[in-house]
Amino acid sequence: MSTSNHLNITELARGPVNGADEIIVELAESPDLPPIIRIKWPSSATLCPPRQFDRVVANAMRILSSAVVELSAIRLWKKL
């Protein structure tokens, strides 16, 4: 966990979707605000040939589902 601007950031999941682009899912907590999930998508469009589209979608879903599992564990521990 790292602290920046009074935010505690916990990375829930991270991974590549097409070999070049990456999705990052984080839990951001502040003493003054309710917790929030941040999903960091690539800054530009993710491109892939049609034959690789199924792998890109599978990778994105794997990253997002990993974040759900990690958040579930944190919610039990922190009572969020």
Side-chain angles (χ1 to χ4, degrees):
M1 191 178 320
S2 66
T3 304
S4 66
N5 297 339
H6 299 66
L7 285 178
N8 289 328
I9 305 297
T10 303
E11 187 174 287
L12 300 175
R14 165 190 296 246
V17 290
N18 70 349
D21 296 328
E22 182 175 62
I23 295 174
I24 303 166
V25 184
E26 300 172 328
L27 170 63
E29 298 175 278
S30 167
D32 305 325
L33 300 169
I36 193 162
I37 301 297
R38 298 193 309 187
I39 303 172
K40 295 181 178 180
W41 298 91
S43 59
S44 59
T46 298
L47 305 175
C48 70
R51 68 182 176 280
Q52 292 179 352
F53 181 64
D54 60 333
R55 280 187 271 159
V56 171
V57 170
N59 288 338
M61 294 304 103
R62 178 185 46 78
I63 295 161
L64 294 173
S65 65
S66 293
V68 168
V69 170
E70 186 67 23
L71 179 61
S72 295
I74 291 170
R75 287 176 71 188
L76 285 174
W77 176 59
K78 290 187 174 183
K79 308 276 191 225
L80 292 179

